[in-house]
Amino acid sequence: MSTSDSVLLPRFVLTRIRAAGLDPVELARAAGVGHWALDGPHASVPGRVYQRLWELFEHRIGAPHVGLRAAERYGTGELGMIDYLVATAHTVGEGFRAAGEFGGRLSDSRQLTVLAESDRETTFAVRSFGEQTRGAELAAQASFAFLLSRVRHGSEAPIAAARVSFRQAPPRRHTPFTEFFGTAAVDFEADANTLTLRSEDLRRPMQTADPRLAAVLQRGADAVPRCTPPARAWSDLVAAELDSAGTGCTIDEMAKRLHTSSRTLQRRLAAAGTSWSRELADARRRTQSQIPAPLHRPVR
């Protein structure tokens, strides 16, 4: 299954990569996207780019809780409209629901939904589509960290989770998770990635609420088109994968690596003004001359 994300999501990770003292351009390239992902125009990228960036970030700093860094050094508006929809919501619960509704326009790789609801509490779940990679696990951490930090800020209250569960294997140290979520009830190797909040916290008013602005934002959100991968991102991704897999890789093998069909891959490359044979020839020339793949190649 081929999925896509708004470039705002990988850009969000790259900001934290830079803050950690790492080279964001290097890791963007390693994830299969050009340097334009750092500060270029709004676009969409293949879904695996965002997940791969979290994997690379974790590997470089050696922290299995790296997704929690989504809550660090956050600048208002980094994730565009979704941030303002949460901030202007009337209550914490409405902020979570607004994030879930609009999130489907930023990404079709993952979805925030209400899994269970009662008078006492509500359980939200992050469901990932496509291959269940380590990057998907870290992205789930990031989703919960981002949302919880935003509603804590907006409500001016130290909201603690009732329970949290992750599909990932348990880390050696649970402390970063229990401290961030404010509960010892953090489970691993669960069936789903879930965050449970108490009803009294969901009813808390957001001090940043603005009903008029929220109404305007909602109309704008309804008009935002859903993300579709741009041709440029696919040619960047193929180049990075060829440098990793080697030039003996066939188009069928490449399509499998990118979780799509060979026909769709050919169509994406054609839209970028290139082709599989041309990308393969470019990769062979880079291998022979030991020249690294370009960060961004203009459309031919």
Side-chain angles (χ1 to χ4, degrees):
M1 177 182 179
S2 177
T3 61
S4 57
D5 293 321
S6 165
V7 73
L8 291 175
L9 294 177
R11 190 171 294 167
F12 184 78
V13 189
L14 290 168
T15 299
R16 277 132 198 85
I17 286 172
R18 174 181 282 153
L22 302 174
D23 184 352
V25 174
E26 176 195 352
L27 294 190
R29 178 173 162 183
V33 67
H35 64 83
W36 60 271
L38 282 165
D39 52 15
H42 181 76
S44 297
V45 297
R48 66 170 296 166
V49 171
Y50 177 60
Q51 297 182 10
R52 182 59 178 152
L53 279 171
W54 280 119
E55 292 174 349
L56 292 167
F57 193 10
E58 178 188 42
H59 177 71
R60 289 297 182 88
I61 67 173
H65 57 279
V66 68
L68 302 185
R69 290 205 168 190
E72 294 180 356
R73 299 180 178 87
Y74 183 74
T76 301
E78 267 191 273
L79 284 180
M81 190 176 291
I82 194 169
D83 192 3
Y84 297 109
L85 286 168
V86 174
T88 59
H90 180 60
T91 65
V92 168
E94 288 180 13
F96 262 77
R97 285 173 171 78
E101 291 171 3
F102 185 68
R105 296 185 180 276
L106 284 183
S107 170
D108 59 17
S109 300
R110 64 200 57 81
Q111 182 181 28
L112 177 73
T113 61
V114 174
L115 184 65
E117 190 171 12
S118 70
D119 292 339
R120 297 177 58 189
E121 61 187 27
T122 298
T123 297
F124 299 91
V126 170
R127 180 186 177 193
S128 297
F129 303 100
E131 186 180 7
Q132 297 302 308
T133 63
R134 175 59 178 160
E137 296 174 347
L138 295 170
Q141 289 183 23
S143 294
F144 291 151
F146 162 74
L147 286 171
L148 193 55
S149 65
R150 296 315 293 153
V151 297
R152 282 171 173 168
H153 173 76
S155 66
E156 298 180 1
I159 298 171
R163 296 182 305 281
V164 190
S165 70
F166 292 104
R167 297 184 63 178
Q168 70 175 76
R172 291 183 179 178
R173 295 178 60 247
H174 292 197
T175 305
F177 293 88
T178 57
E179 288 184 347
F180 178 83
F181 290 105
T183 178
V186 181
D187 296 323
F188 297 92
E189 295 184 329
D191 293 332
N193 298 303
T194 67
L195 172 66
T196 301
L197 297 179
R198 299 175 181 85
S199 296
E200 58 263 34
D201 286 326
L202 292 169
R203 289 192 293 266
R204 288 181 184 272
M206 293 285 281
Q207 302 303 314
T208 52
D210 188 330
R212 291 185 179 180
L213 180 55
V216 173
L217 290 171
Q218 188 58 61
R219 289 195 293 272
D222 292 340
V224 173
R226 294 185 178 276
C227 56
T228 53
R232 180 173 65 181
W234 281 91
S235 59
D236 284 345
L237 193 56
V238 166
E241 286 293 324
L242 279 172
D243 287 345
S244 173
T247 55
C249 183
T250 68
I251 189 170
D252 290 337
E253 291 169 341
M254 178 60 68
K256 186 175 181 181
R257 289 173 70 96
L258 299 180
H259 311 295
T260 188
S261 68
S262 56
R263 180 172 295 183
T264 296
L265 180 56
Q266 289 174 319
R267 188 168 61 249
R268 298 289 188 190
L269 292 174
T274 185
S275 65
W276 170 250
S277 59
R278 182 173 292 177
E279 293 301 313
L280 193 58
D282 286 349
R284 285 171 177 159
R285 280 193 290 271
R286 289 195 300 273
T287 299
Q288 292 169 358
S289 58
Q290 295 184 335
I291 298 176
L295 292 175
H296 169 57
R297 297 158 302 152
V299 173
R300 297 184 180 90

